[in-house]
Each structure stands twice: as C-alpha cells, then as structure tokens.
Short mmCIF file of all heavy atoms in Angstrom, two decimals:
data_model
loop_
_atom_site.label_atom_id
_atom_site.label_comp_id
_atom_site.label_asym_id
_atom_site.label_seq_id
_atom_site.Cartn_x
_atom_site.Cartn_y
_atom_site.Cartn_z
N GLN U 12 -25.13 -18.92 9.46
CA GLN U 12 -23.89 -18.54 8.80
C GLN U 12 -22.57 -18.64 9.71
O GLN U 12 -22.81 -18.65 10.98
CB GLN U 12 -23.97 -17.04 8.39
CG GLN U 12 -23.98 -15.96 9.56
CD GLN U 12 -24.25 -14.53 8.95
OE1 GLN U 12 -24.37 -14.33 7.76
NE2 GLN U 12 -24.24 -13.59 9.89
N GLN U 13 -21.47 -19.05 9.15
CA GLN U 13 -20.42 -19.18 9.98
C GLN U 13 -19.85 -17.80 10.50
O GLN U 13 -19.76 -16.79 9.69
CB GLN U 13 -19.22 -19.75 9.03
CG GLN U 13 -19.65 -21.16 8.66
CD GLN U 13 -18.49 -21.79 7.72
OE1 GLN U 13 -17.86 -21.11 7.04
NE2 GLN U 13 -18.23 -23.08 7.93
N PRO U 14 -19.37 -17.69 11.74
CA PRO U 14 -18.87 -16.44 12.15
C PRO U 14 -17.63 -16.06 11.44
O PRO U 14 -16.80 -16.92 10.96
CB PRO U 14 -18.67 -16.82 13.65
CG PRO U 14 -18.72 -18.19 13.80
CD PRO U 14 -19.41 -18.81 12.67
N ASP U 15 -17.42 -14.79 11.26
CA ASP U 15 -16.26 -14.29 10.70
C ASP U 15 -15.23 -14.10 11.56
O ASP U 15 -14.90 -13.04 12.03
CB ASP U 15 -16.64 -12.95 9.90
CG ASP U 15 -15.57 -12.37 9.12
OD1 ASP U 15 -14.49 -13.16 8.89
OD2 ASP U 15 -15.82 -11.25 8.56
N THR U 16 -14.41 -15.19 11.91
CA THR U 16 -13.50 -15.16 12.97
C THR U 16 -12.05 -15.58 12.45
O THR U 16 -11.04 -15.66 13.16
CB THR U 16 -13.74 -16.15 14.11
OG1 THR U 16 -13.99 -17.41 13.66
CG2 THR U 16 -15.00 -15.66 14.87
N ALA U 17 -11.87 -15.91 11.17
CA ALA U 17 -10.65 -16.39 10.61
C ALA U 17 -9.60 -15.29 10.75
O ALA U 17 -9.92 -14.01 10.49
CB ALA U 17 -10.84 -16.78 9.13
N ALA U 18 -8.32 -15.68 10.86
CA ALA U 18 -7.25 -14.62 11.02
C ALA U 18 -7.03 -14.17 9.56
O ALA U 18 -7.19 -14.74 8.58
CB ALA U 18 -6.03 -15.27 11.62
N GLU U 19 -6.66 -12.79 9.67
CA GLU U 19 -6.21 -12.24 8.41
C GLU U 19 -4.88 -12.68 7.85
O GLU U 19 -3.97 -12.86 8.74
CB GLU U 19 -6.17 -10.67 8.54
CG GLU U 19 -7.64 -10.07 8.83
CD GLU U 19 -8.75 -10.38 7.78
OE1 GLU U 19 -8.40 -10.54 6.57
OE2 GLU U 19 -9.84 -10.49 8.06
N ASP U 20 -4.54 -12.68 6.59
CA ASP U 20 -3.40 -13.00 6.01
C ASP U 20 -2.89 -11.95 4.98
O ASP U 20 -3.15 -12.11 3.79
CB ASP U 20 -3.32 -14.41 5.50
CG ASP U 20 -2.09 -14.80 4.90
OD1 ASP U 20 -0.99 -14.20 5.21
OD2 ASP U 20 -1.94 -15.84 4.17
N PRO U 21 -2.48 -10.83 5.42
CA PRO U 21 -2.03 -9.63 4.45
C PRO U 21 -1.06 -10.19 3.35
O PRO U 21 -1.07 -9.55 2.25
CB PRO U 21 -1.52 -8.53 5.36
CG PRO U 21 -2.14 -8.87 6.78
CD PRO U 21 -2.25 -10.24 6.79
N ALA U 22 -0.39 -11.17 3.71
CA ALA U 22 0.54 -11.77 2.71
C ALA U 22 -0.12 -12.34 1.54
O ALA U 22 0.47 -12.43 0.35
CB ALA U 22 1.55 -12.81 3.35
N ALA U 23 -1.31 -12.64 1.66
CA ALA U 23 -2.18 -13.29 0.58
C ALA U 23 -2.90 -12.19 -0.31
O ALA U 23 -3.55 -12.46 -1.29
CB ALA U 23 -3.11 -14.26 1.15
N TRP U 24 -2.85 -10.92 0.35
CA TRP U 24 -3.54 -9.91 -0.44
C TRP U 24 -2.82 -9.67 -1.71
O TRP U 24 -1.62 -9.73 -1.83
CB TRP U 24 -3.51 -8.66 0.43
CG TRP U 24 -4.40 -8.83 1.73
CD1 TRP U 24 -5.16 -9.85 2.09
CD2 TRP U 24 -4.57 -7.88 2.72
NE1 TRP U 24 -5.69 -9.60 3.27
CE2 TRP U 24 -5.42 -8.37 3.69
CE3 TRP U 24 -4.04 -6.58 2.95
CZ2 TRP U 24 -5.75 -7.74 4.86
CZ3 TRP U 24 -4.41 -5.89 4.06
CH2 TRP U 24 -5.28 -6.41 5.05
N GLN U 25 -3.55 -9.06 -2.66
CA GLN U 25 -2.91 -8.79 -3.97
C GLN U 25 -3.30 -7.48 -4.46
O GLN U 25 -4.58 -7.00 -4.53
CB GLN U 25 -3.61 -9.94 -5.00
CG GLN U 25 -3.14 -9.79 -6.37
CD GLN U 25 -3.82 -10.77 -7.32
OE1 GLN U 25 -4.93 -11.29 -6.98
NE2 GLN U 25 -3.48 -10.77 -8.59
N VAL U 26 -2.34 -6.67 -4.89
CA VAL U 26 -2.54 -5.46 -5.44
C VAL U 26 -2.93 -5.63 -7.03
O VAL U 26 -2.18 -6.34 -7.76
CB VAL U 26 -1.19 -4.56 -5.45
CG1 VAL U 26 -1.51 -3.20 -6.21
CG2 VAL U 26 -0.85 -4.22 -4.00
N VAL U 27 -4.11 -5.17 -7.30
CA VAL U 27 -4.62 -5.46 -8.73
C VAL U 27 -4.59 -4.32 -9.67
O VAL U 27 -5.07 -4.33 -10.86
CB VAL U 27 -6.03 -5.99 -8.64
CG1 VAL U 27 -5.97 -7.38 -7.89
CG2 VAL U 27 -7.04 -5.13 -7.90
N THR U 28 -4.06 -3.12 -9.17
CA THR U 28 -4.12 -1.88 -9.97
C THR U 28 -2.53 -1.59 -10.28
O THR U 28 -1.75 -2.15 -9.75
CB THR U 28 -4.78 -0.69 -9.17
OG1 THR U 28 -4.07 -0.67 -7.96
CG2 THR U 28 -6.20 -0.83 -9.21
N ARG U 29 -2.52 -0.73 -11.28
CA ARG U 29 -1.10 -0.31 -11.67
C ARG U 29 -0.41 0.42 -10.56
O ARG U 29 0.76 0.25 -10.35
CB ARG U 29 -1.18 0.64 -12.92
CG ARG U 29 -1.52 -0.07 -14.15
CD ARG U 29 -1.31 0.87 -15.32
NE ARG U 29 -2.11 1.98 -15.36
CZ ARG U 29 -3.32 2.12 -16.14
NH1 ARG U 29 -3.75 1.06 -16.79
NH2 ARG U 29 -3.96 3.17 -16.02
N ARG U 30 -1.17 1.24 -9.85
CA ARG U 30 -0.60 1.94 -8.62
C ARG U 30 -0.79 1.15 -7.38
O ARG U 30 -1.93 0.73 -7.01
CB ARG U 30 -1.26 3.30 -8.42
CG ARG U 30 -0.57 4.16 -7.36
CD ARG U 30 -1.10 5.57 -7.17
NE ARG U 30 -2.34 5.65 -6.39
CZ ARG U 30 -2.43 5.47 -5.06
NH1 ARG U 30 -1.21 5.37 -4.38
NH2 ARG U 30 -3.52 5.56 -4.38
N ALA U 31 0.28 0.82 -6.67
CA ALA U 31 0.14 0.07 -5.46
C ALA U 31 0.07 1.11 -4.26
O ALA U 31 0.44 2.32 -4.38
CB ALA U 31 1.51 -0.68 -5.16
N PRO U 32 -0.68 0.72 -3.24
CA PRO U 32 -0.80 1.68 -2.08
C PRO U 32 0.64 1.97 -1.45
O PRO U 32 1.53 1.13 -1.41
CB PRO U 32 -1.64 0.95 -1.05
CG PRO U 32 -1.62 -0.43 -1.58
CD PRO U 32 -1.26 -0.51 -2.93
N ASP U 33 0.80 3.14 -1.07
CA ASP U 33 2.10 3.56 -0.27
C ASP U 33 2.04 2.93 1.10
O ASP U 33 0.90 2.33 1.42
CB ASP U 33 2.45 5.03 -0.40
CG ASP U 33 1.49 5.86 0.34
OD1 ASP U 33 0.79 5.43 1.29
OD2 ASP U 33 1.25 7.04 -0.14
N ALA U 34 3.05 3.03 1.83
CA ALA U 34 3.12 2.46 3.15
C ALA U 34 2.03 2.87 4.19
O ALA U 34 1.39 2.21 4.83
CB ALA U 34 4.43 2.73 3.79
N ASP U 35 1.72 4.27 4.09
CA ASP U 35 0.71 4.87 4.86
C ASP U 35 -0.75 4.38 4.52
O ASP U 35 -1.55 3.98 5.30
CB ASP U 35 0.72 6.38 4.74
CG ASP U 35 2.01 7.04 5.59
OD1 ASP U 35 2.55 6.24 6.41
OD2 ASP U 35 2.23 8.08 5.26
N GLU U 36 -0.88 4.38 3.11
CA GLU U 36 -2.15 3.78 2.72
C GLU U 36 -2.29 2.28 3.04
O GLU U 36 -3.50 1.94 3.48
CB GLU U 36 -2.24 3.95 1.17
CG GLU U 36 -2.44 5.39 0.67
CD GLU U 36 -2.22 5.57 -0.77
OE1 GLU U 36 -1.59 4.76 -1.45
OE2 GLU U 36 -2.67 6.70 -1.27
N LEU U 37 -1.36 1.51 2.94
CA LEU U 37 -1.39 0.07 3.30
C LEU U 37 -1.77 -0.06 4.83
O LEU U 37 -2.53 -0.91 5.12
CB LEU U 37 -0.12 -0.62 2.93
CG LEU U 37 -0.23 -2.12 2.98
CD1 LEU U 37 -1.27 -2.70 2.23
CD2 LEU U 37 1.15 -2.74 2.66
N ALA U 38 -1.12 0.67 5.63
CA ALA U 38 -1.36 0.63 7.08
C ALA U 38 -2.92 1.06 7.28
O ALA U 38 -3.55 0.40 8.05
CB ALA U 38 -0.51 1.60 7.82
N ASP U 39 -3.38 2.12 6.53
CA ASP U 39 -4.71 2.55 6.74
C ASP U 39 -5.68 1.46 6.14
O ASP U 39 -6.83 1.17 6.71
CB ASP U 39 -5.00 3.84 6.14
CG ASP U 39 -4.42 4.98 6.84
OD1 ASP U 39 -4.35 4.87 8.09
OD2 ASP U 39 -4.24 6.00 6.34
N LEU U 40 -5.23 0.81 5.04
CA LEU U 40 -6.13 -0.27 4.46
C LEU U 40 -6.30 -1.43 5.46
O LEU U 40 -7.35 -2.04 5.61
CB LEU U 40 -5.51 -0.73 3.09
CG LEU U 40 -5.66 0.25 2.02
CD1 LEU U 40 -4.84 -0.27 0.75
CD2 LEU U 40 -7.19 0.43 1.62
#
C-alpha cells in the first residue's frame, strides 16, 4: 500500500450538510 503522506488541503474540503461547522468545530475537525 502507498504510505499516507500526502499533504492535507482543507481548501478542497466540502461541507455537505445544511449546518456548517463553526470556527471552533472546524479547528477541532
């Protein structure tokens, strides 16, 4: 298996629910 070393790109993340996480929740996520 390929090692899981790719850099994260939070800009590509997508909120898929009606409620978006608040700033504290996003930091914790």
Side-chain angles (χ1 to χ4, degrees):
Q12 63 183 4
Q13 292 179 326
D15 186 5
T16 57
E19 296 300 334
D20 183 12
W24 295 354
Q25 179 185 11
V26 176
V27 295
T28 49
R29 288 191 297 263
R30 187 176 84 75
D33 64 29
D35 290 338
E36 289 169 338
L37 188 57
D39 285 339
L40 287 171

